[in-house]
Amino acid sequence: TRPRAMIYVACNPAAFQRDKREVERYGYHMTELSLFDMFPQTSHSELLGVFELIIHQFAVTLLLQPGLY
């Protein structure tokens, strides 16, 4: 069974964008995005994304791309 939602945290915006596309291929849609400055003494910041499973979109994806799963 797939989780209905997941939370993803990344400190690299490019990696977050790459991984977001991959997660969306499996029927998840990002519903929230937050930026955190966990270490204010550095130039780094963290992105937190909430992804929710879209049931009907996931079924269509599986039908159209049988080798995906």
Side-chain angles (χ1 to χ4, degrees), residues 16-34:
F16 185 92
Q17 180 64 24
R18 178 200 64 216
D19 296 341
K20 175 185 175 288
R21 277 187 244 124
E22 187 67 20
V23 169
E24 287 174 340
R25 287 183 59 219
Y26 288 92
Y28 289 87
H29 177 73
M30 188 172 63
T31 57
E32 294 181 44
L33 178 65
S34 299

Side-chain angles (χ1 to χ4, degrees), residues 33-50:
L33 178 65
S34 299
L35 178 67
F36 293 92
D37 188 5
M38 302 285 287
F39 306 100
Q41 68 277 15
T42 71
S43 62
H44 297 282
S45 57
E46 288 69 44
L47 290 166
L48 182 144
V50 177

